PDB file of all heavy atoms in Angstrom:
ATOM      1  N   ARG H 267      32.741  57.449  72.034  1.00 97.00           N
ATOM      2  CA  ARG H 267      32.134  57.757  70.743  1.00 97.00           C
ATOM      3  C   ARG H 267      33.011  58.668  69.879  1.00 97.00           C
ATOM      4  O   ARG H 267      32.708  58.880  68.725  1.00 97.00           O
ATOM      5  CB  ARG H 267      30.757  58.412  70.947  1.00 97.00           C
ATOM      6  CG  ARG H 267      29.781  57.609  71.768  1.00 97.00           C
ATOM      7  CD  ARG H 267      29.520  56.226  71.174  1.00 97.00           C
ATOM      8  NE  ARG H 267      29.011  56.274  69.805  1.00 97.00           N
ATOM      9  CZ  ARG H 267      27.723  56.359  69.499  1.00 97.00           C
ATOM     10  NH1 ARG H 267      26.811  56.431  70.455  1.00 97.00           N
ATOM     11  NH2 ARG H 267      27.334  56.357  68.241  1.00 97.00           N
ATOM     12  N   TYR H 268      34.051  59.227  70.469  1.00 97.00           N
ATOM     13  CA  TYR H 268      34.946  60.111  69.712  1.00 97.00           C
ATOM     14  C   TYR H 268      36.351  59.998  70.264  1.00 97.00           C
ATOM     15  O   TYR H 268      36.576  60.230  71.457  1.00 97.00           O
ATOM     16  CB  TYR H 268      34.462  61.561  69.783  1.00 97.00           C
ATOM     17  CG  TYR H 268      35.464  62.595  69.306  1.00 97.00           C
ATOM     18  CD1 TYR H 268      36.120  62.461  68.088  1.00 97.00           C
ATOM     19  CD2 TYR H 268      35.762  63.727  70.081  1.00 97.00           C
ATOM     20  CE1 TYR H 268      37.035  63.409  67.659  1.00 97.00           C
ATOM     21  CE2 TYR H 268      36.663  64.683  69.654  1.00 97.00           C
ATOM     22  CZ  TYR H 268      37.307  64.519  68.446  1.00 97.00           C
ATOM     23  OH  TYR H 268      38.216  65.449  68.022  1.00 97.00           O
ATOM     24  N   THR H 269      37.278  59.629  69.392  1.00 97.00           N
ATOM     25  CA  THR H 269      38.698  59.594  69.729  1.00 97.00           C
ATOM     26  C   THR H 269      39.445  60.429  68.701  1.00 97.00           C
ATOM     27  O   THR H 269      39.428  60.089  67.513  1.00 97.00           O
ATOM     28  CB  THR H 269      39.251  58.166  69.717  1.00 97.00           C
ATOM     29  OG1 THR H 269      38.527  57.359  70.642  1.00 97.00           O
ATOM     30  CG2 THR H 269      40.727  58.155  70.090  1.00 97.00           C
ATOM     31  N   PRO H 270      40.060  61.541  69.082  1.00 97.00           N
ATOM     32  CA  PRO H 270      40.814  62.345  68.125  1.00 97.00           C
ATOM     33  C   PRO H 270      41.894  61.497  67.444  1.00 97.00           C
ATOM     34  O   PRO H 270      42.627  60.758  68.106  1.00 97.00           O
ATOM     35  CB  PRO H 270      41.442  63.443  68.992  1.00 97.00           C
ATOM     36  CG  PRO H 270      40.557  63.507  70.201  1.00 97.00           C
ATOM     37  CD  PRO H 270      40.105  62.109  70.441  1.00 97.00           C
ATOM     38  N   ARG H 271      41.957  61.593  66.144  1.00 94.00           N
ATOM     39  CA  ARG H 271      42.880  60.764  65.373  1.00 94.00           C
ATOM     40  C   ARG H 271      44.184  61.515  65.109  1.00 94.00           C
ATOM     41  O   ARG H 271      44.175  62.642  64.618  1.00 94.00           O
ATOM     42  CB  ARG H 271      42.240  60.337  64.051  1.00 94.00           C
ATOM     43  CG  ARG H 271      40.888  59.660  64.254  1.00 94.00           C
ATOM     44  CD  ARG H 271      41.004  58.341  65.018  1.00 94.00           C
ATOM     45  NE  ARG H 271      39.710  57.885  65.515  1.00 94.00           N
ATOM     46  CZ  ARG H 271      39.446  56.635  65.875  1.00 94.00           C
ATOM     47  NH1 ARG H 271      40.405  55.726  65.808  1.00 94.00           N
ATOM     48  NH2 ARG H 271      38.254  56.305  66.321  1.00 94.00           N
ATOM     49  N   VAL H 272      45.296  60.887  65.434  1.00 96.00           N
ATOM     50  CA  VAL H 272      46.616  61.516  65.309  1.00 96.00           C
ATOM     51  C   VAL H 272      47.427  60.727  64.295  1.00 96.00           C
ATOM     52  O   VAL H 272      47.633  59.523  64.448  1.00 96.00           O
ATOM     53  CB  VAL H 272      47.347  61.552  66.661  1.00 96.00           C
ATOM     54  CG1 VAL H 272      48.750  62.144  66.499  1.00 96.00           C
ATOM     55  CG2 VAL H 272      46.544  62.354  67.680  1.00 96.00           C
ATOM     56  N   GLU H 273      47.866  61.404  63.256  1.00 93.00           N
ATOM     57  CA  GLU H 273      48.678  60.722  62.244  1.00 93.00           C
ATOM     58  C   GLU H 273      50.136  60.605  62.668  1.00 93.00           C
ATOM     59  O   GLU H 273      50.753  59.569  62.498  1.00 93.00           O
ATOM     60  CB  GLU H 273      48.603  61.463  60.912  1.00 93.00           C
ATOM     61  CG  GLU H 273      49.407  60.755  59.826  1.00 93.00           C
ATOM     62  CD  GLU H 273      49.485  61.528  58.530  1.00 93.00           C
ATOM     63  OE1 GLU H 273      50.127  62.594  58.511  1.00 93.00           O
ATOM     64  OE2 GLU H 273      48.917  61.061  57.544  1.00 93.00           O
ATOM     65  N   ARG H 274      50.678  61.704  63.230  1.00 95.00           N
ATOM     66  CA  ARG H 274      52.114  61.691  63.544  1.00 95.00           C
ATOM     67  C   ARG H 274      52.396  62.666  64.671  1.00 95.00           C
ATOM     68  O   ARG H 274      51.738  63.703  64.791  1.00 95.00           O
ATOM     69  CB  ARG H 274      52.926  62.084  62.303  1.00 95.00           C
ATOM     70  CG  ARG H 274      54.419  61.838  62.438  1.00 95.00           C
ATOM     71  CD  ARG H 274      55.131  62.043  61.118  1.00 95.00           C
ATOM     72  NE  ARG H 274      54.675  61.111  60.090  1.00 95.00           N
ATOM     73  CZ  ARG H 274      55.189  61.066  58.859  1.00 95.00           C
ATOM     74  NH1 ARG H 274      56.165  61.908  58.515  1.00 95.00           N
ATOM     75  NH2 ARG H 274      54.730  60.206  57.982  1.00 95.00           N
ATOM     76  N   THR H 275      53.360  62.302  65.504  1.00 97.00           N
ATOM     77  CA  THR H 275      53.820  63.195  66.567  1.00 97.00           C
ATOM     78  C   THR H 275      55.288  63.538  66.353  1.00 97.00           C
ATOM     79  O   THR H 275      56.047  62.758  65.759  1.00 97.00           O
ATOM     80  CB  THR H 275      53.650  62.562  67.962  1.00 97.00           C
ATOM     81  OG1 THR H 275      54.471  61.390  68.055  1.00 97.00           O
ATOM     82  CG2 THR H 275      52.194  62.194  68.222  1.00 97.00           C
ATOM     83  N   TYR H 276      55.681  64.708  66.857  1.00 98.00           N
ATOM     84  CA  TYR H 276      57.061  65.176  66.746  1.00 98.00           C
ATOM     85  C   TYR H 276      57.502  65.739  68.086  1.00 98.00           C
ATOM     86  O   TYR H 276      56.688  66.326  68.815  1.00 98.00           O
ATOM     87  CB  TYR H 276      57.168  66.297  65.704  1.00 98.00           C
ATOM     88  CG  TYR H 276      56.947  65.873  64.279  1.00 98.00           C
ATOM     89  CD1 TYR H 276      55.659  65.845  63.740  1.00 98.00           C
ATOM     90  CD2 TYR H 276      58.012  65.524  63.463  1.00 98.00           C
ATOM     91  CE1 TYR H 276      55.448  65.472  62.421  1.00 98.00           C
ATOM     92  CE2 TYR H 276      57.817  65.158  62.138  1.00 98.00           C
ATOM     93  CZ  TYR H 276      56.533  65.126  61.630  1.00 98.00           C
ATOM     94  OH  TYR H 276      56.325  64.758  60.318  1.00 98.00           O
ATOM     95  N   PRO H 277      58.778  65.628  68.424  1.00 98.00           N
ATOM     96  CA  PRO H 277      59.280  66.338  69.608  1.00 98.00           C
ATOM     97  C   PRO H 277      59.380  67.825  69.306  1.00 98.00           C
ATOM     98  O   PRO H 277      59.397  68.245  68.141  1.00 98.00           O
ATOM     99  CB  PRO H 277      60.667  65.719  69.824  1.00 98.00           C
ATOM    100  CG  PRO H 277      61.100  65.278  68.465  1.00 98.00           C
ATOM    101  CD  PRO H 277      59.837  64.829  67.764  1.00 98.00           C
ATOM    102  N   LEU H 278      59.457  68.624  70.348  1.00 97.00           N
ATOM    103  CA  LEU H 278      59.507  70.071  70.187  1.00 97.00           C
ATOM    104  C   LEU H 278      60.631  70.509  69.255  1.00 97.00           C
ATOM    105  O   LEU H 278      60.454  71.431  68.441  1.00 97.00           O
ATOM    106  CB  LEU H 278      59.689  70.727  71.570  1.00 97.00           C
ATOM    107  CG  LEU H 278      59.559  72.249  71.628  1.00 97.00           C
ATOM    108  CD1 LEU H 278      58.121  72.673  71.338  1.00 97.00           C
ATOM    109  CD2 LEU H 278      60.005  72.759  73.005  1.00 97.00           C
ATOM    110  N   GLU H 279      61.778  69.843  69.348  1.00 97.00           N
ATOM    111  CA  GLU H 279      62.938  70.241  68.561  1.00 97.00           C
ATOM    112  C   GLU H 279      62.726  70.035  67.054  1.00 97.00           C
ATOM    113  O   GLU H 279      63.479  70.583  66.238  1.00 97.00           O
ATOM    114  CB  GLU H 279      64.170  69.463  69.018  1.00 97.00           C
ATOM    115  CG  GLU H 279      64.677  69.847  70.401  1.00 97.00           C
ATOM    116  CD  GLU H 279      63.759  69.337  71.528  1.00 97.00           C
ATOM    117  OE1 GLU H 279      62.960  68.394  71.281  1.00 97.00           O
ATOM    118  OE2 GLU H 279      63.841  69.887  72.640  1.00 97.00           O
ATOM    119  N   ARG H 280      61.709  69.254  66.690  1.00 98.00           N
ATOM    120  CA  ARG H 280      61.430  69.014  65.271  1.00 98.00           C
ATOM    121  C   ARG H 280      60.182  69.764  64.820  1.00 98.00           C
ATOM    122  O   ARG H 280      59.444  69.316  63.950  1.00 98.00           O
ATOM    123  CB  ARG H 280      61.298  67.514  65.006  1.00 98.00           C
ATOM    124  CG  ARG H 280      62.602  66.733  65.160  1.00 98.00           C
ATOM    125  CD  ARG H 280      62.416  65.283  64.744  1.00 98.00           C
ATOM    126  NE  ARG H 280      61.987  65.166  63.355  1.00 98.00           N
ATOM    127  CZ  ARG H 280      61.458  64.056  62.829  1.00 98.00           C
ATOM    128  NH1 ARG H 280      61.291  62.969  63.585  1.00 98.00           N
ATOM    129  NH2 ARG H 280      61.083  64.014  61.548  1.00 98.00           N
ATOM    130  N   ILE H 281      59.951  70.925  65.376  1.00 97.00           N
ATOM    131  CA  ILE H 281      58.777  71.711  65.038  1.00 97.00           C
ATOM    132  C   ILE H 281      58.746  72.060  63.548  1.00 97.00           C
ATOM    133  O   ILE H 281      57.671  72.103  62.931  1.00 97.00           O
ATOM    134  CB  ILE H 281      58.722  73.003  65.898  1.00 97.00           C
ATOM    135  CG1 ILE H 281      57.430  73.794  65.606  1.00 97.00           C
ATOM    136  CG2 ILE H 281      59.961  73.853  65.696  1.00 97.00           C
ATOM    137  CD1 ILE H 281      56.154  73.109  65.938  1.00 97.00           C
ATOM    138  N   ALA H 282      59.904  72.291  62.944  1.00 97.00           N
ATOM    139  CA  ALA H 282      59.930  72.619  61.520  1.00 97.00           C
ATOM    140  C   ALA H 282      59.386  71.452  60.698  1.00 97.00           C
ATOM    141  O   ALA H 282      58.628  71.649  59.731  1.00 97.00           O
ATOM    142  CB  ALA H 282      61.348  72.969  61.078  1.00 97.00           C
ATOM    143  N   ASP H 283      59.755  70.228  61.082  1.00 97.00           N
ATOM    144  CA  ASP H 283      59.251  69.047  60.373  1.00 97.00           C
ATOM    145  C   ASP H 283      57.745  68.908  60.576  1.00 97.00           C
ATOM    146  O   ASP H 283      57.030  68.503  59.655  1.00 97.00           O
ATOM    147  CB  ASP H 283      59.954  67.786  60.870  1.00 97.00           C
ATOM    148  CG  ASP H 283      61.422  67.744  60.498  1.00 97.00           C
ATOM    149  OD1 ASP H 283      61.804  68.377  59.494  1.00 97.00           O
ATOM    150  OD2 ASP H 283      62.193  67.081  61.219  1.00 97.00           O
ATOM    151  N   ALA H 284      57.267  69.220  61.768  1.00 96.00           N
ATOM    152  CA  ALA H 284      55.833  69.125  62.044  1.00 96.00           C
ATOM    153  C   ALA H 284      55.052  70.104  61.176  1.00 96.00           C
ATOM    154  O   ALA H 284      54.017  69.746  60.597  1.00 96.00           O
ATOM    155  CB  ALA H 284      55.572  69.391  63.522  1.00 96.00           C
ATOM    156  N   HIS H 285      55.539  71.332  61.072  1.00 96.00           N
ATOM    157  CA  HIS H 285      54.867  72.320  60.222  1.00 96.00           C
ATOM    158  C   HIS H 285      54.912  71.901  58.757  1.00 96.00           C
ATOM    159  O   HIS H 285      53.910  72.034  58.031  1.00 96.00           O
ATOM    160  CB  HIS H 285      55.518  73.689  60.395  1.00 96.00           C
ATOM    161  CG  HIS H 285      54.934  74.501  61.504  1.00 96.00           C
ATOM    162  ND1 HIS H 285      54.621  75.838  61.375  1.00 96.00           N
ATOM    163  CD2 HIS H 285      54.587  74.163  62.774  1.00 96.00           C
ATOM    164  CE1 HIS H 285      54.113  76.288  62.510  1.00 96.00           C
ATOM    165  NE2 HIS H 285      54.096  75.292  63.380  1.00 96.00           N
ATOM    166  N   ALA H 286      56.062  71.405  58.315  1.00 95.00           N
ATOM    167  CA  ALA H 286      56.202  71.002  56.916  1.00 95.00           C
ATOM    168  C   ALA H 286      55.267  69.842  56.600  1.00 95.00           C
ATOM    169  O   ALA H 286      54.650  69.799  55.529  1.00 95.00           O
ATOM    170  CB  ALA H 286      57.651  70.616  56.625  1.00 95.00           C
ATOM    171  N   HIS H 287      55.145  68.907  57.529  1.00 94.00           N
ATOM    172  CA  HIS H 287      54.264  67.760  57.299  1.00 94.00           C
ATOM    173  C   HIS H 287      52.807  68.203  57.219  1.00 94.00           C
ATOM    174  O   HIS H 287      52.059  67.779  56.334  1.00 94.00           O
ATOM    175  CB  HIS H 287      54.439  66.735  58.420  1.00 94.00           C
ATOM    176  CG  HIS H 287      53.643  65.486  58.220  1.00 94.00           C
ATOM    177  ND1 HIS H 287      53.958  64.559  57.266  1.00 94.00           N
ATOM    178  CD2 HIS H 287      52.521  65.026  58.839  1.00 94.00           C
ATOM    179  CE1 HIS H 287      53.085  63.568  57.295  1.00 94.00           C
ATOM    180  NE2 HIS H 287      52.195  63.826  58.250  1.00 94.00           N
ATOM    181  N   SER H 288      52.394  69.069  58.110  1.00 92.00           N
ATOM    182  CA  SER H 288      51.023  69.571  58.088  1.00 92.00           C
ATOM    183  C   SER H 288      50.745  70.341  56.798  1.00 92.00           C
ATOM    184  O   SER H 288      49.679  70.188  56.185  1.00 92.00           O
ATOM    185  CB  SER H 288      50.770  70.474  59.302  1.00 92.00           C
ATOM    186  OG  SER H 288      49.487  71.054  59.249  1.00 92.00           O
ATOM    187  N   ALA H 289      51.697  71.161  56.382  1.00 88.00           N
ATOM    188  CA  ALA H 289      51.503  71.977  55.183  1.00 88.00           C
ATOM    189  C   ALA H 289      51.501  71.141  53.917  1.00 88.00           C
ATOM    190  O   ALA H 289      51.001  71.586  52.877  1.00 88.00           O
ATOM    191  CB  ALA H 289      52.591  73.045  55.090  1.00 88.00           C
ATOM    192  N   GLY H 290      52.035  69.924  53.992  1.00 83.00           N
ATOM    193  CA  GLY H 290      52.075  69.062  52.822  1.00 83.00           C
ATOM    194  C   GLY H 290      50.714  68.543  52.402  1.00 83.00           C
ATOM    195  O   GLY H 290      50.538  68.048  51.290  1.00 83.00           O
ATOM    196  N   GLY H 291      49.719  68.648  53.309  1.00 73.00           N
ATOM    197  CA  GLY H 291      48.362  68.216  52.994  1.00 73.00           C
ATOM    198  C   GLY H 291      48.209  66.712  53.037  1.00 73.00           C
ATOM    199  O   GLY H 291      49.154  65.963  53.297  1.00 73.00           O
ATOM    200  N   ARG H 292      46.960  66.252  52.831  1.00 70.00           N
ATOM    201  CA  ARG H 292      46.627  64.835  52.774  1.00 70.00           C
ATOM    202  C   ARG H 292      47.004  64.092  54.051  1.00 70.00           C
ATOM    203  O   ARG H 292      47.365  62.916  54.025  1.00 70.00           O
ATOM    204  CB  ARG H 292      47.286  64.167  51.563  1.00 70.00           C
ATOM    205  CG  ARG H 292      46.834  64.763  50.237  1.00 70.00           C
ATOM    206  CD  ARG H 292      47.420  64.008  49.062  1.00 70.00           C
ATOM    207  NE  ARG H 292      47.039  64.610  47.799  1.00 70.00           N
ATOM    208  CZ  ARG H 292      45.897  64.357  47.156  1.00 70.00           C
ATOM    209  NH1 ARG H 292      45.030  63.525  47.681  1.00 70.00           N
ATOM    210  NH2 ARG H 292      45.625  64.939  45.999  1.00 70.00           N
ATOM    211  N   THR H 293      46.947  64.771  55.189  1.00 77.00           N
ATOM    212  CA  THR H 293      47.219  64.100  56.448  1.00 77.00           C
ATOM    213  C   THR H 293      46.007  63.286  56.872  1.00 77.00           C
ATOM    214  O   THR H 293      44.866  63.618  56.568  1.00 77.00           O
ATOM    215  CB  THR H 293      47.557  65.107  57.559  1.00 77.00           C
ATOM    216  OG1 THR H 293      46.499  66.039  57.691  1.00 77.00           O
ATOM    217  CG2 THR H 293      48.857  65.834  57.239  1.00 77.00           C
ATOM    218  N   ARG H 294      46.266  62.218  57.586  1.00 84.00           N
ATOM    219  CA  ARG H 294      45.209  61.364  58.130  1.00 84.00           C
ATOM    220  C   ARG H 294      45.109  61.681  59.618  1.00 84.00           C
ATOM    221  O   ARG H 294      45.890  61.186  60.415  1.00 84.00           O
ATOM    222  CB  ARG H 294      45.547  59.898  57.902  1.00 84.00           C
ATOM    223  CG  ARG H 294      44.511  58.936  58.475  1.00 84.00           C
ATOM    224  CD  ARG H 294      45.000  57.500  58.397  1.00 84.00           C
ATOM    225  NE  ARG H 294      45.208  57.069  57.016  1.00 84.00           N
ATOM    226  CZ  ARG H 294      45.674  55.877  56.679  1.00 84.00           C
ATOM    227  NH1 ARG H 294      46.020  55.021  57.633  1.00 84.00           N
ATOM    228  NH2 ARG H 294      45.821  55.547  55.414  1.00 84.00           N
ATOM    229  N   GLY H 295      44.184  62.527  59.992  1.00 87.00           N
ATOM    230  CA  GLY H 295      44.108  62.962  61.375  1.00 87.00           C
ATOM    231  C   GLY H 295      45.050  64.129  61.634  1.00 87.00           C
ATOM    232  O   GLY H 295      45.428  64.871  60.731  1.00 87.00           O
ATOM    233  N   LYS H 296      45.468  64.279  62.888  1.00 94.00           N
ATOM    234  CA  LYS H 296      46.197  65.452  63.333  1.00 94.00           C
ATOM    235  C   LYS H 296      47.703  65.227  63.415  1.00 94.00           C
ATOM    236  O   LYS H 296      48.190  64.116  63.579  1.00 94.00           O
ATOM    237  CB  LYS H 296      45.700  65.880  64.713  1.00 94.00           C
ATOM    238  CG  LYS H 296      44.269  66.382  64.744  1.00 94.00           C
ATOM    239  CD  LYS H 296      44.079  67.632  63.898  1.00 94.00           C
ATOM    240  CE  LYS H 296      44.858  68.802  64.422  1.00 94.00           C
ATOM    241  NZ  LYS H 296      44.330  69.374  65.658  1.00 94.00           N
ATOM    242  N   VAL H 297      48.439  66.333  63.315  1.00 96.00           N
ATOM    243  CA  VAL H 297      49.868  66.383  63.598  1.00 96.00           C
ATOM    244  C   VAL H 297      50.015  67.060  64.956  1.00 96.00           C
ATOM    245  O   VAL H 297      49.404  68.102  65.211  1.00 96.00           O
ATOM    246  CB  VAL H 297      50.625  67.171  62.505  1.00 96.00           C
ATOM    247  CG1 VAL H 297      52.092  67.306  62.866  1.00 96.00           C
ATOM    248  CG2 VAL H 297      50.435  66.506  61.159  1.00 96.00           C
ATOM    249  N   VAL H 298      50.841  66.462  65.828  1.00 97.00           N
ATOM    250  CA  VAL H 298      50.941  66.924  67.210  1.00 97.00           C
ATOM    251  C   VAL H 298      52.413  67.018  67.621  1.00 97.00           C
ATOM    252  O   VAL H 298      53.230  66.179  67.237  1.00 97.00           O
ATOM    253  CB  VAL H 298      50.184  65.968  68.168  1.00 97.00           C
ATOM    254  CG1 VAL H 298      50.451  66.321  69.623  1.00 97.00           C
ATOM    255  CG2 VAL H 298      48.693  66.000  67.870  1.00 97.00           C
ATOM    256  N   VAL H 299      52.716  68.055  68.403  1.00 98.00           N
ATOM    257  CA  VAL H 299      54.058  68.219  68.974  1.00 98.00           C
ATOM    258  C   VAL H 299      53.995  67.837  70.450  1.00 98.00           C
ATOM    259  O   VAL H 299      53.134  68.329  71.196  1.00 98.00           O
ATOM    260  CB  VAL H 299      54.541  69.675  68.826  1.00 98.00           C
ATOM    261  CG1 VAL H 299      55.854  69.889  69.590  1.00 98.00           C
ATOM    262  CG2 VAL H 299      54.721  70.016  67.356  1.00 98.00           C
ATOM    263  N   LEU H 300      54.905  66.951  70.870  1.00 98.00           N
ATOM    264  CA  LEU H 300      54.966  66.490  72.251  1.00 98.00           C
ATOM    265  C   LEU H 300      56.046  67.255  72.998  1.00 98.00           C
ATOM    266  O   LEU H 300      57.163  67.402  72.529  1.00 98.00           O
ATOM    267  CB  LEU H 300      55.268  64.990  72.314  1.00 98.00           C
ATOM    268  CG  LEU H 300      54.277  64.060  71.614  1.00 98.00           C
ATOM    269  CD1 LEU H 300      54.757  62.611  71.700  1.00 98.00           C
ATOM    270  CD2 LEU H 300      52.878  64.193  72.224  1.00 98.00           C
TER     271      LEU H 300
END
Side-chain angles (χ1 to χ4, degrees):
R267 304 302 302 272
Y268 167 50
T269 302
R271 306 295 165 161
V272 177
E273 182 186 68
R274 191 171 298 182
T275 63
Y276 291 87
L278 189 68
E279 290 73 20
R280 292 186 60 196
I281 184 63
D283 292 334
H285 272 225
H287 184 71
S288 175
R292 299 185 183 275
T293 56
R294 178 188 297 178
K296 294 298 296 288
V297 176
V298 172
V299 172
L300 301 177

